[in-house]
Amino acid sequence: GNSVTQMEGPVTLSEEAFLTINCTYTATGYPSLFWYVQYPGEGLQLLLKATKADDKGSNKGFEATYRKETTSFHLEKGSVQVSDSAVYFCALNTHVNAGGTSYGKLTFGQGTILTVHP
Amino acid sequence: NAGVTQTPKFRILKIGQSMTLQCTQDMNHNYMYWYRQDPGMGLKLIYYSVGAGITDKGEVPNGYNVSRSTTEDFPLRLELAAPSQTSVYFCASTGHPNTGELFFGEGSRLTVL
């Protein structure tokens, strides 16, 4: 089945440090890949996505490149801020047909807690 | 901008009690989902719905029930609460399931003692 593995946290950084959160996946077919972010007390929200191999998703200074050869989608940011403190989830999306209905199924990694100190 | 609204935000239940988590969205999305989030485990899909009157099981449906009488509402029912159902529950919706972009509510933290 499909699965997503993220680097274990928590990750603690000083402001302006470089961030990498590793994400690898196992999937049949050609999934789309996502990073979701969950700020304290809030629900998840989409941070960025990539729909095919070699695509780069970017948003708010974060980037991730869809690497099919290494089945990876690592999240990076050159200079983190205190406001980036959150939980980050890597996810993949596949289309499922089940029992006469179909839906896009998101499979999430376990989440990585990021804390940025001033 | 309301988006996806969940209630209650917090609830403590005793073993064997029942309750309903409410979820409503104002974006006219056909697809709605219930997830549970356990520490270090990511999100697991409980139930989903592709439109009013159509629901189906996700990965971890045992102990839960859902209904979808309107496009806007997708309540999640716990009939006989168990400690294993202590978790944070998220409702989500989308108008385009193949895009993978879901809109999440703020979550409901449930503790079963």
Side-chain angles (χ1 to χ4, degrees):
Chain A
N2 298 335
S3 67
V4 176
T5 302
Q6 292 180 229
M7 70 183 281
E8 295 211 9
V11 175
T12 303
L13 295 173
S14 297
E15 208 164 25
E16 299 184 2
F18 184 86
L19 168 71
T20 299
I21 300 178
N22 290 339
C23 170
T24 57
Y25 68 91
T26 302
T28 54
Y30 303 97
S32 297
L33 301 175
F34 306 83
W35 279 100
Y36 276 80
V37 58
Q38 183 183 23
Y39 297 106
E42 299 183 11
L44 283 73
Q45 56 186 274
L46 181 65
L47 179 61
L48 55 84
K49 70 177 184 181
T51 58
K52 61 183 188 297
D54 300 326
D55 267 2
K56 177 185 285 188
S58 61
N59 186 24
K60 299 182 180 181
F62 291 89
E63 293 183 339
T65 300
Y66 189 146
R67 301 285 187 202
K68 187 169 179 290
E69 63 276 10
T70 54
T71 61
S72 64
F73 193 54
H74 304 321
L75 182 68
E76 296 182 337
K77 187 174 185 183
S79 176
V80 293
Q81 305 300 312
V82 173
S83 57
D84 294 327
S85 297
V87 183
Y88 292 82
F89 292 90
C90 186
L92 63 84
N93 191 50
T94 53
H95 198 68
V96 177
N97 294 305
T101 62
S102 66
Y103 68 101
K105 181 176 185 294
L106 271 176
T107 300
F108 288 89
Q110 74 271 32
T112 301
I113 300 171
L114 170 66
T115 302
V116 181
H117 293 297
Chain B
N1 297 332
V4 179
T5 303
Q6 291 180 234
T7 57
K9 286 188 166 45
F10 302 94
R11 182 73 185 267
I12 298 175
L13 281 181
K14 294 182 179 178
I15 294 172
Q17 286 185 321
S18 300
M19 75 159 298
T20 299
L21 298 176
Q22 302 291 345
C23 176
T24 187
Q25 51 92 9
D26 62 359
M27 296 172 283
N28 201 33
H29 286 165
N30 280 327
Y31 295 80
M32 296 188 74
Y33 307 80
W34 274 106
Y35 288 89
R36 58 178 287 171
Q37 181 185 25
D38 298 312
M41 299 294 291
L43 278 73
K44 300 293 185 185
L45 181 65
I46 306 171
Y47 270 94
Y48 69 97
S49 169
V50 302
I54 306 171
T55 64
D56 209 344
K57 297 176 181 179
E59 302 168 86
V60 290
N62 291 343
Y64 306 95
N65 275 301
V66 294
S67 59
R68 186 92 182 273
S69 57
T70 66
T71 299
E72 294 78 20
D73 300 308
F74 190 41
L76 177 72
R77 177 98 179 141
L78 284 72
E79 289 294 347
L80 291 170
S84 61
Q85 293 177 304
T86 294
S87 189
V88 180
Y89 293 84
F90 287 99
C91 180
S93 74
T94 183
H96 304 283
N98 291 333
T99 67
E101 181 171 2
L102 299 187
F103 295 84
F104 283 82
E106 294 182 355
S108 299
R109 182 176 294 277
L110 175 66
T111 302
V112 182
L113 301 174

